[in-house]
Amino acid sequence: VKVRGDNGHHVVESAFKAFSRALRNLIDGTDTNSYTSDEFERMWGEKSVSYTAGLELCREGKLERSTKETSILVHVLMSGLLKGSDSVQVDTGIKTMDEFVAILAKEAKMSVEVKCNGDLYVDDHHTSEDVSIALGQVLNTAFGTKAGLNRMWCATGTYGDAEVEVTMDLSNRPCITHNLSLSSNPNDEEYAGDLSIEMLDHVLESLVMNSKSTVHIVENKAGKTVLETAMATAMAYGAALRMCAAVDPRRAGKTASSKGTLSV
């Protein structure tokens, strides 16, 4: 019996590729959820060949745009958190968005500047949506062709009582699936902090679609509040992004695809 889901082909394809990456990590002896082990540091830490190769790529993305609804600046440097400076600056006018993006950036080890002046006197829709679209577009620009990158990874984030797992593939074939307790949360919350819950769902969708990634999010344990679940998601998303974007020197600059490219 064949059961078709939302963009099922891409989800299954990415799942198998993520499995192959997990097998590679098993062979390497790398625990993907232990970012402090000696083996992890040797393979992917700041003194590794991977980290140095990533810096040499000078990956960067920047976007400025203004409409009648929002004025936005997003700037990303995928060169680690710059020491001795405030390398994560987020001001959207929505505290939950600020914290979500800041946590994601810090876990991804990237420097981010996000500024938005939006029509919050109406509601949070345009600001949260446009920030997520712009951030996704800038990330996709910074990724470049994705040649030589890990491309696939999974990571877990915990915040309060919440535990969330994110499996990610920089596939150029955008798709997101999740089982997060958002609109169906047991406390009937309408807001995660000061962000409406329906917009939290839209934030994730806009980010994934515009970064052209395939992302599967699993809520292993719900938080006491939707805010806890949201921040655990940001942590897992950022940690997975960090490793998807990391250079795998063994690929010698080649794209992790049987086609040899992700552009078609």
Side-chain angles (χ1 to χ4, degrees), residues 27 52 58 72 79 98 108 121 126 171 177 193-194 208 228 248 257:
I27 295 171
T52 301
C58 300
I72 292 178
S79 54
D98 294 351
Y121 59 87
H126 296 140
S171 62
T177 62
D194 59 349
V208 169
E228 286 189 354
D248 186 344
S257 171

Side-chain angles (χ1 to χ4, degrees), residues 2-261:
K2 185 175 183 180
V3 180
R4 299 187 64 86
D6 293 338
N7 214 339
H9 171 80
H10 297 155
V11 174
V12 172
E13 180 182 39
S14 294
F16 273 102
K17 288 175 178 175
F19 173 79
S20 68
R21 171 55 61 181
L23 180 60
R24 176 73 261 177
N25 285 324
L26 177 63
I27 295 171
D28 291 340
T30 303
D31 181 353
T32 57
N33 287 315
S34 177
Y35 288 20
T36 58
S37 68
D38 291 341
E39 186 62 27
F40 185 91
E41 283 297 314
R42 183 184 70 81
M43 292 285 295
W44 312 110
E46 293 187 4
K47 296 181 180 180
S48 68
V49 174
S50 168
Y51 187 81
T52 301
L55 293 181
E56 291 174 351
L57 291 176
C58 300
R59 292 174 290 178
E60 181 178 9
K62 187 174 183 180
L63 182 152
E64 292 185 69
R65 76 177 207 188
S66 293
T67 69
K68 292 181 179 180
E69 299 168 344
T70 58
S71 294
I72 292 178
L73 163 67
V74 178
H75 187 198
V76 168
L77 288 170
M78 302 197 74
S79 54
L81 294 169
L82 301 179
K83 293 180 174 62
S85 65
D86 188 3
S87 57
V88 176
Q89 303 178 54
V90 187
D91 183 7
T92 67
I94 303 173
K95 291 182 179 179
T96 298
M97 278 295 298
D98 294 351
E99 186 176 2
F100 185 93
V101 175
I103 288 176
L104 189 158
K106 289 175 182 178
E107 290 293 326
K109 301 293 185 182
M110 61 186 187
S111 298
V112 170
E113 180 184 11
V114 177
K115 295 180 180 179
C116 180
N117 183 17
D119 56 358
L120 292 174
Y121 59 87
V122 177
D123 58 21
D124 57 0
H125 184 112
H126 296 140
T127 295
S128 57
E129 177 185 48
D130 288 3
V131 167
S132 303
I133 290 173
L135 180 58
Q137 291 173 342
V138 166
L139 284 172
N140 189 52
T141 298
F143 293 150
T145 65
K146 306 179 177 71
L149 306 187
N150 271 331
R151 182 184 153 182
M152 297 153 277
W153 206 268
C154 64
T156 301
T158 58
Y159 191 100
D161 286 353
E163 180 180 288
V164 174
E165 181 178 351
V166 169
T167 301
M168 183 180 296
D169 179 359
L170 305 183
S171 62
N172 266 18
R173 288 162 173 77
C175 174
I176 178 172
T177 62
H178 72 77
N179 70 339
L180 299 175
S181 302
L182 300 181
S183 58
S184 60
N185 72 85
N187 297 324
D188 292 325
E189 297 174 81
E190 295 186 6
Y191 286 86
D194 59 349
L195 178 67
S196 56
I197 286 176
E198 64 266 24
M199 285 314 302
L200 177 57
D201 197 1
H202 196 42
V203 161
L204 292 169
E205 180 182 23
S206 298
L207 178 60
V208 169
M209 292 299 171
N210 286 277
S211 63
K212 296 187 178 180
S213 306
T214 301
V215 176
H216 182 51
I217 304 173
V218 177
E219 179 184 275
N220 292 329
K221 185 180 179 183
K224 288 182 180 178
T225 64
V226 176
L227 183 62
E228 286 189 354
T229 301
M231 298 311 158
T233 302
M235 292 182 72
Y237 197 107
L241 178 61
R242 170 192 173 187
M243 295 309 304
C244 285
V247 174
D248 186 344
R250 294 167 298 191
R251 295 199 178 278
K254 295 181 179 180
T255 302
S257 171
S258 58
K259 293 189 294 292
T261 179

